[in-house]
Amino acid sequence: MATLLHLDASAEPEDSRSRALTAALASAFAPGNTVVHRDLHTDPPPHLPHPGLHWAPPLRTGGAPGPAAEATQRRLIGELLDADALVVGYPLYNYSLPSPLKAWIDHVHVPGLTAPSPISGSPLAGRPAVLVTTRGGDYGPGAPNAGRDHATPVLELILGEEMGMDVTVVGVGMTLAGRESPERARSEAEHEEALRHLRELGSRLGRTPE
Ligand SMILES: Cc1cc2nc3c(=O)[nH]c(=O)nc-3n(C[C@H](O)[C@H](O)[C@H](O)COP(=O)(O)O)c2cc1C
């Protein structure tokens, strides 16, 4: 039996594109497996309360973060380390990450615990992480906004390059295109293709833990 950590960060409760997409992966993964769902919007981690939390205890040089902050961090890191696979759904907000997802990253990216350091390797190396992003505009090659998405590159850097996870990005753009515009048809086609891809990924990850 495998475990999926399923994170959502959209502030939209009813009609969220990214939530629908991560749910498709989770449903395909679920049969015979465990899905742990953390809604980062309705149950957000606090802003990082102490800089010492960025380091494993033996690597810290400043004061102690305090027991409540340590307990929150232990819970978030524990969920990540216990999962065989991760799916994260997030809209682009102001060219960047939704702030609760940034707070989650600030808690779980810890050299010496989840990322390599002089005292450890990366316990997450090779584990699958699926990044599911939705964007109101067009960020494709040649579009005026190309290169202005500052959310996905950060997650690829932290989860992929730093923690060593095996990252796959599935994105849907132009979600704010008007009903009659040609971009609307492109966005709907991207959404259908993303759903198909995520269902296939979910059932594959559910069959092959780690
Ligand atoms: C606070 C806020 C900021 C946003 N900023 C951007 C942005 O910088 N670029 C963009 O393309 N879309 C932006 N959008 C639009 C969302 O990325 C888009 O509607 C997305 O599809 C929402 O995903 P969801 O349906 O999962 O909530 C913003 C939306 C909100 C609510």
Side-chain angles (χ1 to χ4, degrees):
M1 189 166 86
T3 299
L4 173 73
L5 177 58
H6 170 187
L7 304 179
D8 281 310
S10 170
E12 170 59 61
E14 302 290 336
D15 194 23
S16 158
R17 296 285 196 106
S18 58
R19 287 175 185 275
L21 292 166
T22 58
L25 183 147
S27 301
F29 179 94
N33 293 312
T34 301
V35 177
V36 176
H37 186 215
R38 174 168 284 281
D39 189 326
L40 295 171
H41 178 71
T42 57
D43 183 18
H47 295 299
L48 198 76
H50 191 285
L53 294 170
H54 184 56
W55 307 101
L59 297 173
R60 287 181 195 153
T61 51
E70 300 258 27
T72 299
Q73 183 178 51
R74 249 197 321 277
R75 184 165 46 85
L76 295 172
I77 289 179
E79 280 176 355
L80 179 60
L81 293 177
D82 287 349
D84 300 293
L86 169 71
V87 61
V88 189
Y90 56 97
L92 188 65
Y93 281 171
N94 293 306
Y95 302 98
S96 187
L97 295 173
S99 54
L101 179 55
K102 176 61 165 55
W104 181 83
I105 285 285
D106 286 342
H107 278 83
V108 303
H109 177 217
V110 181
L113 288 179
T114 58
S117 77
I119 60 166
S120 71
S122 176
L124 293 160
R127 267 190 234 185
V130 183
L131 307 181
V132 179
T133 184
T134 47
R135 306 184 287 205
D138 185 359
Y139 293 77
N145 272 330
R148 291 182 172 170
D149 176 341
H150 300 288
T152 297
V154 168
L155 295 176
E156 289 179 305
L157 182 57
I158 302 288
L159 296 170
E161 288 185 42
E162 299 278 339
M163 297 188 188
M165 298 184 83
D166 181 8
V167 171
T168 302
V169 180
V170 179
V172 174
M174 300 161 287
T175 63
L176 295 178
R179 200 166 286 281
E180 304 302 329
S181 76
E183 287 80 17
R184 177 65 169 251
R186 274 173 60 204
S187 180
E188 285 174 0
E190 275 186 20
H191 187 83
E192 287 311 308
E193 173 55 21
L195 273 176
R196 189 203 58 73
H197 188 189
L198 290 165
R199 287 191 188 111
E200 187 269 321
L201 266 176
S203 82
R204 182 148 51 84
L205 293 173
R207 284 196 302 272
T208 54
E210 255 174 88

